[in-house]
Every structure is written in structure tokens, then in C-alpha cells.
Amino acid sequence: MAGHIQRYSEDRQRCRSETEALKSTPQSLNLESLSKMEKKSQSSLKLASSTLLGEKDILQQQEVQQGLDSSREDLALDSGALPAEALSAADSDPLIPQTEDPQGLDRAPAGMRGDPLEHCRSSNEIAEPLQSPILWHCPDGSFVKRIMVQGQGLDKPKGGSQCQVLVSGLPPGVGLPEGWTELTVGSGPWRDSLWGEVLEKCLETMCSGEQAELLLPGGAEPPALITLASFTMGKDSWELSVREKEELASEERARGTELFRAGNPEAAARCYSRALRLLMTLPPPGPPDRTILHANLAACQLQLGQPTLAAQSCDRVLERDPRHVKALYRRGVARAAFGELDGAADDLRRVLEVEPGNRAAREELGRVVIRGREQDAGLARGLRKMFG
């Protein structure tokens, strides 16, 4: 490299000398000579530059090769002889991150292992809120759902589905947790309250990743925000065996009795109603539990101030067992509540025929008779005023 530099300096010095000598020659010759010298100088400069760059690249390549050789020696000393695959990996740049095959990763199902909310977050990253929310009215009029983010797929939770749910905005004291929770459709005390029953119905209409506002009729309560992250597959009632339906109905009946004794007839009525819906799908005549469930439901409806519904529930019992004492007594009380005094007196007398010592029926019959007499007296006074 030093020889090339010296040669370049000598060429430049020679060009200066020739330039001074040409000053005394004609102008045309001077221009021609200067042009030749300039080309010669440029070619010398290019040669020197390329030589410098070439030697620099050679030195850099030698340093890199020496570094790689030393790396191979260190690897060989640490782990012994390496296979060809390991040597080829050692030749790669250690600063470049090595990627793995994405299909080879062991990923758990969303919402089931690891982060239980991974599926919901990934879904929310993809799904965008609707510009115009969709209103959906429950056919039985129990709630209205305002869909904010549409879910994915067509599957919906069924009986036994374990749902990963985000709940917010519920009124205090409803027995439901705020935030992320796991709810099982068709099981658990979380369904005892009115909000729990409505939430369960709402979940059965949602798809995975769906976000919706849940509103009760009348708008008295502020809406609750429900997000269904994921759920396991369950069964529709028609997919259950007879034994499975009877077992679930028995659980609902036991829970309802527990709630009724605890002074919560509203939650008990919901349990009895769910049990009846399960048993009504069985072929007739159905299990005897249906009679007990209708009678228990009538007791709840009387306490809730629903005498008409209570009388209808007793009718279902008496169709199968005309001498069912509790159904007769409760229908008599229900009839008296909505003013059908003659029918009420008939039911209560039938109770006393079966159980003459039934004190409750005798006292209720006495009240009904007194009301009947007062009603007759009032009617007589009205007739006298009309025709007197």
C-alpha cells in the first residue's frame, strides 16, 4: 500500500513539472498536453483509491474470519465435537434473534389455561365497537340487550357451559361479583337473584367475544356491561338424558326449598320454575316431582302477591291428584284473594273433608264466610237504595 501512495505522489509531481514546461509552448499544444496529463492523473488516483479500499476490505475480512475461527475453537472446547447443524448455527450472526416455528408452539386454548382472558383480549383487539349498537329484545320481555361489540361464530353457551365473563355496573347487593369471573350456566347460587336469572338468559344469547349492555324492563336500573370472553360447550335440554334432567330438577327443587325456608320466595320460585321446565320435556305422565313442584311454586306465588298464578299452579296439581290437601288449601286462599269467595269456600271445605283437624283451613274458611256475608249485605243495601 505504501508503494502505491509513493507512485501516486511521483505522478503528481511529474504532472506539475510538465505543466510548467508547457507554459512556453503554443496554446493548442498546451491544451492537448494538459488534457493528456489530467487523464493520466485521474487514472492514477483511481488506481490508488481502489488499491486502498481493496486492501482495507481484505484486512476486515481477515479479522472477521479470525473471530469466527476463535468462536469455533471456544465452542469445541466447551462442548466437544459438534454436529454439522450446530456448526452452521455458530456461523450465523449472534446478534440476529432466532425465530421459532409458530406452528410448533404449545398454545393452550383461550380462556382455559395460562391467562384465562387471553382470548377476550385478542378478540377485542380484532373486533371493533359497532357504530350503531344493535338492540335485541328477549321474547319473554325480561330484558333488553344492546350489543356493543359483535361476537364470533354461531355457538352460544348452554346448560353446563363454563363462561369466562366480565361483569360491571351491577347494582350492589345482587349477589354477583364485579370484574372477571367464571359462571356455569344452569348451576350455582349466582342465579338466585333477579339479576342472576337475567344474566344467565343473556349469556345463553351471546357469542364468544360479544360485549353488550344488559337493561331491565322500564329502565329503572342502569345498564350493566357484560363481556363474554369464552365458554366451554354445554348441552341443550333436549340433548340431556331422562336421568340427567331428573337429577338437575332434583337439585333445583332442593335449592328452592332452601331459599323458601330462608324467606326468599322470589328466588325459590325461580328454582321451582327451572325444575318444571326440565321435567315438562319428559314424556307423560312425567315424574311425581312435577306435582310437588307446582304445589311449592303456588306457595311462593301466594307470598309474592300473585294469586292468579298461584291458582293456576294448584290447578296443575289437582288435575293429577284431586285430593291434594296443600293444593286445595292454597287454591282456596288464592281464590279468596281475587274475590272468588264461593270457589274459595268450596276448596276449603274439601280440605276439611280430608283433614277435619286442619286448623289453617278452618280459620281461612271462617274469614271467607264472613267476607261473603259482608259482601251479601253490601249487595242488599245497594239493591234497597236502587229500588227503595
Side-chain angles (χ1 to χ4, degrees):
M1 182 174 64
H4 287 292
I5 295 174
Q6 183 178 0
R7 180 179 176 183
Y8 172 70
S9 301
E10 292 176 355
D11 289 341
R12 288 178 58 86
Q13 185 64 33
R14 185 168 55 253
C15 288
R16 290 194 188 96
S17 301
E18 291 178 357
T19 300
E20 294 294 333
L22 287 173
K23 289 182 179 180
S24 59
T25 60
Q27 186 176 4
S28 59
L29 293 176
N30 287 347
L31 292 174
E32 182 178 357
S33 300
L34 286 172
S35 178
K36 290 179 180 180
M37 285 187 292
E38 183 179 0
K39 290 180 180 180
K40 185 176 180 181
S41 175
Q42 290 177 354
S43 62
S44 300
L45 180 61
K46 290 179 179 180
L47 178 61
S49 300
S50 63
T51 302
L52 287 172
L53 292 175
E55 293 184 356
K56 183 178 180 180
D57 292 341
I58 292 171
L59 290 175
Q60 290 180 348
Q61 291 178 1
Q62 289 177 351
E63 292 176 356
V64 171
Q65 187 64 34
Q66 290 176 358
L68 291 176
D69 292 342
S70 62
S71 299
R72 289 192 182 94
E73 291 175 359
D74 293 340
L75 288 172
L77 289 174
D78 292 339
S79 58
L82 295 176
E85 292 81 3
L87 290 176
S88 62
D91 291 338
S92 62
D93 189 350
L95 298 179
I96 299 177
Q98 302 297 317
T99 59
E100 298 179 2
D101 182 7
Q103 296 180 357
L105 295 176
D106 182 16
R107 287 193 179 96
M112 304 311 295
R113 190 174 66 180
D115 185 358
L117 311 178
E118 176 184 358
H119 173 71
C120 179
R121 282 195 281 267
S122 62
S123 300
N124 289 340
E125 291 174 0
I126 298 173
E128 296 181 356
L130 298 173
Q131 294 182 354
S132 299
I134 302 173
L135 286 179
W136 186 87
H137 297 261
C138 184
D140 64 3
S142 59
F143 70 93
V144 177
K145 181 176 69 169
R146 183 186 291 125
I147 303 174
M148 313 301 292
V149 178
Q150 284 189 309
Q152 301 173 355
L154 299 176
D155 293 327
K156 296 177 176 63
K158 304 174 184 178
S161 293
Q162 296 179 350
C163 304
Q164 299 288 339
V165 186
L166 174 62
V167 183
S168 61
L170 290 175
V174 298
L176 289 170
E178 287 276 328
W180 288 105
T181 185
E182 181 176 284
L183 303 176
T184 301
V185 176
S187 178
W190 65 275
R191 306 177 304 143
D192 293 344
S193 66
L194 174 61
W195 271 102
E197 183 184 34
V198 172
L199 175 58
E200 183 177 46
K201 290 181 180 179
C202 182
L203 289 175
E204 291 176 333
T205 69
M206 300 178 72
C207 298
S208 179
E210 181 176 329
Q211 185 180 80
E213 288 183 344
L214 182 59
L215 302 95
L216 296 184
E221 298 284 350
L225 185 63
I226 312 298
T227 303
L228 176 60
S230 63
F231 61 90
T232 60
M233 295 304 297
K235 290 183 179 181
D236 280 316
S237 59
W238 57 267
E239 296 178 295
L240 299 173
S241 65
V242 174
R243 183 177 178 180
E244 288 175 326
K245 291 179 180 180
E246 290 178 346
E247 289 177 352
L248 289 174
S250 178
E251 292 176 3
E252 293 285 2
R253 174 187 167 185
R255 178 62 178 166
T257 302
E258 179 183 351
L259 291 168
F260 185 81
R261 290 174 178 172
N264 192 349
E266 184 178 8
R270 281 190 284 270
C271 292
Y272 294 142
S273 298
R274 287 193 291 260
L276 283 169
R277 284 195 293 269
L278 286 168
L279 297 180
M280 287 174 62
T281 60
L282 299 180
D289 286 353
R290 287 179 57 180
T291 302
I292 300 174
L293 287 168
H294 279 298
N296 292 349
L297 181 59
C300 297
Q301 291 164 338
L302 281 175
Q303 291 197 17
L304 294 172
Q306 301 168 344
T308 303
L309 294 178
Q312 293 174 357
S313 297
C314 292
D315 289 340
R316 303 292 184 271
V317 178
L318 296 172
E319 288 173 0
R320 301 187 64 175
D321 185 2
R323 294 174 62 87
H324 195 286
V325 174
K326 290 184 178 180
L328 284 171
Y329 172 77
R330 289 165 186 167
R331 189 174 70 173
V333 174
R335 284 177 167 179
F338 56 74
E340 192 179 328
L341 299 180
D342 291 340
D346 291 340
D347 286 337
L348 294 170
R349 290 189 180 101
R350 290 173 62 184
V351 171
L352 293 174
E353 290 175 2
V354 179
E355 294 183 358
N358 193 316
R359 182 177 177 181
R362 189 173 299 277
E363 292 177 354
E364 185 65 27
L365 178 59
R367 287 190 288 267
V368 170
V369 171
I370 294 173
R371 284 182 58 190
R373 291 174 181 174
E374 292 176 351
Q375 190 178 66
D376 291 341
L379 179 60
R381 287 192 298 269
L383 292 174
R384 284 196 297 269
K385 289 181 181 179
M386 185 180 298
F387 298 102

